[in-house]
Amino acid sequence: VPGFMPAFDATATFVSLLDLLAGQDRRLSEVVDGLPEVFMVTREVVTPWEQKGAVMRVLVEQAKSHEVDLVDGVRIHHPEGWALGLPDPDDPITRVTAEGVDQQAAERLADEYVRRIEQLVRS
């Protein structure tokens, strides 16, 4: 809401959204009901501290043919969804989160990246 504050403000954004909906005589519940269903899966993989960096580097190298985001961990986009490998800052684990077009696609992506990380850790 740049006219109100130069930084992101969730409350001001929510109030602006409600104002826009009121001007169109729509309820927020109608908008929410129209949103697509989200299918997500999260898994954890034991990753020794000394291997976390190497695991992330290899995930990036293996994803050359896919779009990759490196903002929070390594997010690899696939036609049926995406998978995110995120090393935990406090524990020797890597979290794998996947979103798919359906529950099975999300589980397949999560399982694939868990398998990849487990193979990297073992080698």
Side-chain angles (χ1 to χ4, degrees):
V1 187
F4 174 70
M5 174 184 294
F8 178 76
D9 183 306
T11 304
T13 301
F14 184 64
V15 170
S16 293
L17 172 65
L18 293 177
D19 184 48
L20 288 170
L21 291 173
Q24 296 180 0
D25 197 29
R26 291 187 69 195
R27 296 174 153 264
L28 180 58
S29 60
E30 294 172 26
V31 174
V32 170
D33 289 342
L35 294 174
E37 191 170 355
V38 176
F39 301 96
M40 292 187 81
V41 176
T42 301
R43 308 257 197 276
E44 292 182 354
V45 184
V46 174
T47 312
W49 290 103
E50 62 275 5
Q51 291 183 298
K52 284 185 176 187
V55 165
M56 295 296 106
R57 185 176 61 251
V58 171
L59 287 179
V60 170
E61 290 170 1
Q62 290 177 346
K64 293 289 186 202
S65 62
H66 299 284
E67 179 185 346
V68 177
D69 294 326
L70 301 174
V71 176
D72 291 319
V74 177
R75 182 186 308 250
I76 303 150
H77 297 266
H78 293 266
E80 69 275 13
W82 53 261
L84 169 71
L86 181 63
D88 188 276
D90 299 319
D91 295 314
I93 61 171
T94 299
R95 286 194 176 76
V96 174
T97 302
E99 180 180 309
V101 294
D102 56 31
Q103 189 66 30
Q104 293 77 20
E107 289 178 12
R108 275 192 307 272
L109 281 169
D111 292 342
E112 171 64 21
Y113 282 91
V114 165
R115 184 188 61 74
R116 289 182 187 196
I117 293 170
E118 288 174 342
Q119 284 180 340
L120 292 169
V121 169
R122 279 187 249 138
S123 58

